[in-house]
PDB file of all heavy atoms in Angstrom:
ATOM      1  N   VAL A 164     -13.760   8.255  -0.081  1.00 92.00           N
ATOM      2  CA  VAL A 164     -13.070   7.424   0.910  1.00 92.00           C
ATOM      3  C   VAL A 164     -11.569   7.365   0.590  1.00 92.00           C
ATOM      4  O   VAL A 164     -10.716   7.510   1.470  1.00 92.00           O
ATOM      5  CB  VAL A 164     -13.667   6.004   0.947  1.00 92.00           C
ATOM      6  CG1 VAL A 164     -12.852   5.087   1.862  1.00 92.00           C
ATOM      7  CG2 VAL A 164     -15.119   6.049   1.407  1.00 92.00           C
ATOM      8  N   GLY A 165     -11.259   7.157  -0.684  1.00 92.00           N
ATOM      9  CA  GLY A 165      -9.858   7.087  -1.088  1.00 92.00           C
ATOM     10  C   GLY A 165      -9.114   8.382  -0.852  1.00 92.00           C
ATOM     11  O   GLY A 165      -7.971   8.376  -0.370  1.00 92.00           O
ATOM     12  N   ALA A 166      -9.732   9.497  -1.195  1.00 93.00           N
ATOM     13  CA  ALA A 166      -9.066  10.789  -1.017  1.00 93.00           C
ATOM     14  C   ALA A 166      -8.770  11.058   0.451  1.00 93.00           C
ATOM     15  O   ALA A 166      -7.678  11.538   0.801  1.00 93.00           O
ATOM     16  CB  ALA A 166      -9.935  11.908  -1.598  1.00 93.00           C
ATOM     17  N   VAL A 167      -9.733  10.746   1.322  1.00 92.00           N
ATOM     18  CA  VAL A 167      -9.515  10.954   2.760  1.00 92.00           C
ATOM     19  C   VAL A 167      -8.398  10.039   3.267  1.00 92.00           C
ATOM     20  O   VAL A 167      -7.512  10.464   4.018  1.00 92.00           O
ATOM     21  CB  VAL A 167     -10.819  10.709   3.543  1.00 92.00           C
ATOM     22  CG1 VAL A 167     -10.556  10.733   5.046  1.00 92.00           C
ATOM     23  CG2 VAL A 167     -11.862  11.758   3.176  1.00 92.00           C
ATOM     24  N   ALA A 168      -8.435   8.762   2.849  1.00 91.00           N
ATOM     25  CA  ALA A 168      -7.402   7.817   3.277  1.00 91.00           C
ATOM     26  C   ALA A 168      -6.019   8.252   2.809  1.00 91.00           C
ATOM     27  O   ALA A 168      -5.033   8.133   3.547  1.00 91.00           O
ATOM     28  CB  ALA A 168      -7.725   6.425   2.745  1.00 91.00           C
ATOM     29  N   PHE A 169      -5.939   8.781   1.600  1.00 92.00           N
ATOM     30  CA  PHE A 169      -4.643   9.165   1.049  1.00 92.00           C
ATOM     31  C   PHE A 169      -4.111  10.468   1.645  1.00 92.00           C
ATOM     32  O   PHE A 169      -2.963  10.836   1.408  1.00 92.00           O
ATOM     33  CB  PHE A 169      -4.733   9.289  -0.473  1.00 92.00           C
ATOM     34  CG  PHE A 169      -4.599   7.972  -1.188  1.00 92.00           C
ATOM     35  CD1 PHE A 169      -5.083   6.800  -0.620  1.00 92.00           C
ATOM     36  CD2 PHE A 169      -4.004   7.900  -2.427  1.00 92.00           C
ATOM     37  CE1 PHE A 169      -4.959   5.574  -1.273  1.00 92.00           C
ATOM     38  CE2 PHE A 169      -3.868   6.685  -3.093  1.00 92.00           C
ATOM     39  CZ  PHE A 169      -4.351   5.525  -2.510  1.00 92.00           C
ATOM     40  N   MET A 170      -4.937  11.168   2.427  1.00 93.00           N
ATOM     41  CA  MET A 170      -4.478  12.386   3.084  1.00 93.00           C
ATOM     42  C   MET A 170      -3.891  12.107   4.466  1.00 93.00           C
ATOM     43  O   MET A 170      -3.251  12.984   5.062  1.00 93.00           O
ATOM     44  CB  MET A 170      -5.627  13.390   3.201  1.00 93.00           C
ATOM     45  CG  MET A 170      -6.050  13.999   1.870  1.00 93.00           C
ATOM     46  SD  MET A 170      -7.374  15.202   2.039  1.00 93.00           S
ATOM     47  CE  MET A 170      -6.521  16.525   2.875  1.00 93.00           C
ATOM     48  N   LEU A 171      -4.082  10.905   4.981  1.00 91.00           N
ATOM     49  CA  LEU A 171      -3.583  10.595   6.321  1.00 91.00           C
ATOM     50  C   LEU A 171      -2.065  10.710   6.451  1.00 91.00           C
ATOM     51  O   LEU A 171      -1.559  11.123   7.507  1.00 91.00           O
ATOM     52  CB  LEU A 171      -4.052   9.202   6.742  1.00 91.00           C
ATOM     53  CG  LEU A 171      -5.544   9.087   7.078  1.00 91.00           C
ATOM     54  CD1 LEU A 171      -5.919   7.639   7.357  1.00 91.00           C
ATOM     55  CD2 LEU A 171      -5.887   9.959   8.269  1.00 91.00           C
ATOM     56  N   PRO A 172      -1.270  10.322   5.427  1.00 91.00           N
ATOM     57  CA  PRO A 172       0.177  10.537   5.568  1.00 91.00           C
ATOM     58  C   PRO A 172       0.569  12.000   5.756  1.00 91.00           C
ATOM     59  O   PRO A 172       1.656  12.276   6.291  1.00 91.00           O
ATOM     60  CB  PRO A 172       0.738   9.984   4.247  1.00 91.00           C
ATOM     61  CG  PRO A 172      -0.245   8.969   3.816  1.00 91.00           C
ATOM     62  CD  PRO A 172      -1.570   9.549   4.222  1.00 91.00           C
ATOM     63  N   ILE A 173      -0.283  12.923   5.322  1.00 94.00           N
ATOM     64  CA  ILE A 173      -0.006  14.344   5.566  1.00 94.00           C
ATOM     65  C   ILE A 173      -0.016  14.618   7.067  1.00 94.00           C
ATOM     66  O   ILE A 173       0.842  15.328   7.599  1.00 94.00           O
ATOM     67  CB  ILE A 173      -1.029  15.226   4.837  1.00 94.00           C
ATOM     68  CG1 ILE A 173      -0.914  15.032   3.320  1.00 94.00           C
ATOM     69  CG2 ILE A 173      -0.854  16.692   5.211  1.00 94.00           C
ATOM     70  CD1 ILE A 173      -1.940  15.811   2.516  1.00 94.00           C
ATOM     71  N   VAL A 174      -0.995  14.032   7.768  1.00 93.00           N
ATOM     72  CA  VAL A 174      -1.063  14.176   9.225  1.00 93.00           C
ATOM     73  C   VAL A 174       0.191  13.613   9.866  1.00 93.00           C
ATOM     74  O   VAL A 174       0.793  14.223  10.761  1.00 93.00           O
ATOM     75  CB  VAL A 174      -2.322  13.463   9.766  1.00 93.00           C
ATOM     76  CG1 VAL A 174      -2.370  13.521  11.290  1.00 93.00           C
ATOM     77  CG2 VAL A 174      -3.583  14.063   9.166  1.00 93.00           C
ATOM     78  N   SER A 175       0.599  12.429   9.404  1.00 93.00           N
ATOM     79  CA  SER A 175       1.795  11.788   9.943  1.00 93.00           C
ATOM     80  C   SER A 175       3.037  12.642   9.726  1.00 93.00           C
ATOM     81  O   SER A 175       3.849  12.850  10.651  1.00 93.00           O
ATOM     82  CB  SER A 175       1.977  10.417   9.280  1.00 93.00           C
ATOM     83  OG  SER A 175       3.095   9.749   9.802  1.00 93.00           O
TER      84      SER A 175
END
Side-chain angles (χ1 to χ4, degrees):
V164 174
V167 172
F169 277 33
M170 290 181 69
L171 288 175
I173 297 177
V174 176
S175 182

